[in-house]
Amino acid sequence: ALSFILIDVNKVNGGDAAQMGRIYRSKMKTQGWWLGNTTYIVFKNVRVPKTYIIGAENKGFVPILENFNHGRFAMASTAIRYSRCCLEDSLKFARKRKTFGRALTEHQVIRHKLVNMMMHIERCSSLMEQITYQMTQNISSRDLAPKMAMIKIEAAKCMEFCAREASQIFGGRSYLRGGTAERVERIYREVCVMGIAEGATEILTDFIAKQ
């Protein structure tokens, strides 16, 4: 059973340690999401009054499940936009950058990379539009859940593909922080978390299969 509990850290740490215990926090350094507050928390002998429970006791898992749809939708939207950034920056660079006397866009392999990026993005955008429409039709959260899992998986894969292809188009520039490939380099740091947060790709794939 799981319950939601609201804890006033300052009140706990400012009180008598023998009666209230202590909460220790340490911000963790992550690959991406630098603005996030991924924190390691230790609860040592912390005592919390029952009045601090949010909602019904032992019913905390329900709102967590319901919130997954919103979280996965938001992450998918972010991943699709990141993918578009990779395409936009790559196209702009490829039109200007010349190799062997020709712009990159005049090389077939580069054109194909750009087209493949575009097709991945359009597929995800179409699925996103379909799900967005269904959200306006009073479809239950339970029925929407598989579709939310699908778009989260596909958007994460799309972002990974586009970030990688954009890096190949920019070459060594994409490995540097700052400069013409700054956005691509930053986006690539966020690829990993997109396939993990709000449900790992493998877990969501099996979830869809069981629905």
Side-chain angles (χ1 to χ4, degrees):
L2 180 70
S3 299
F4 273 143
I5 302 175
L6 179 65
I7 301 176
D8 188 334
V9 177
N10 293 327
K11 187 173 182 178
V12 171
N13 288 346
D16 184 358
Q19 292 184 350
M20 304 191 71
R22 284 292 181 264
I23 299 174
Y24 302 96
R25 295 166 293 174
S26 176
K27 187 172 181 179
M28 306 173 78
K29 294 183 178 180
T30 55
Q31 179 183 40
W33 279 6
W34 287 4
L35 293 179
N37 288 313
T38 304
T39 305
Y40 184 72
I41 304 177
V42 175
F43 297 94
K44 187 174 182 180
N45 301 322
V46 175
R47 298 172 63 86
V48 182
K50 286 186 177 181
T51 53
Y52 282 37
I53 293 178
I54 300 176
E57 186 176 358
N58 298 326
K59 299 294 183 180
F61 199 59
V62 175
I64 289 177
L65 289 177
E66 291 179 346
N67 188 61
F68 274 142
N69 277 355
H70 300 287
R72 289 165 186 165
F73 184 83
M75 288 199 70
S77 300
T78 301
I80 293 172
R81 181 55 195 148
Y82 280 165
S83 300
R84 287 192 183 278
C85 288
C86 289
L87 175 59
E88 291 167 1
D89 290 4
S90 297
L91 180 59
K92 182 178 179 180
F93 174 75
R95 283 172 171 166
K96 292 182 178 180
R97 171 66 171 160
K98 291 185 177 181
T99 58
F100 305 105
R102 294 188 296 169
L104 287 182
T105 50
E106 295 182 27
H107 296 283
Q108 185 184 65
V109 67
I110 300 299
R111 292 198 300 271
H112 288 189
K113 285 182 180 295
L114 293 168
V115 169
N116 285 329
M117 290 165 69
M118 181 180 67
M119 289 193 297
H120 274 73
I121 293 169
E122 290 304 316
R123 281 198 296 268
C124 285
S125 295
S126 295
L127 180 56
M128 177 64 83
E129 289 179 7
Q130 180 189 128
I131 293 171
T132 302
Y133 173 76
Q134 290 178 342
M135 291 170 68
T136 67
Q137 302 304 302
N138 298 319
I139 297 176
S140 69
S141 296
R142 184 185 182 88
D143 291 336
L144 279 173
K147 286 290 183 70
M148 291 297 186
M150 287 181 195
I151 188 57
K152 199 268 183 176
I153 292 171
E154 289 305 308
K157 289 181 178 180
C158 176
M159 178 178 162
E160 181 178 14
F161 177 82
C162 291
R164 184 180 68 250
E165 293 298 89
S167 295
Q168 292 300 112
I169 293 172
F170 275 101
R173 288 175 172 82
S174 67
Y175 202 65
L176 304 175
R177 293 185 182 178
T180 54
E182 179 179 16
R183 288 207 302 180
V184 172
E185 185 275 327
R186 289 177 62 186
I187 288 171
Y188 217 151
R189 278 190 258 126
E190 310 298 335
V191 165
C192 186
V193 73
M194 287 296 177
I196 297 174
E198 296 293 338
T201 296
E202 295 78 7
I203 298 295
L204 293 183
T205 300
D206 198 49
F207 167 73
I208 295 168
K210 291 178 178 178
Q211 298 305 301

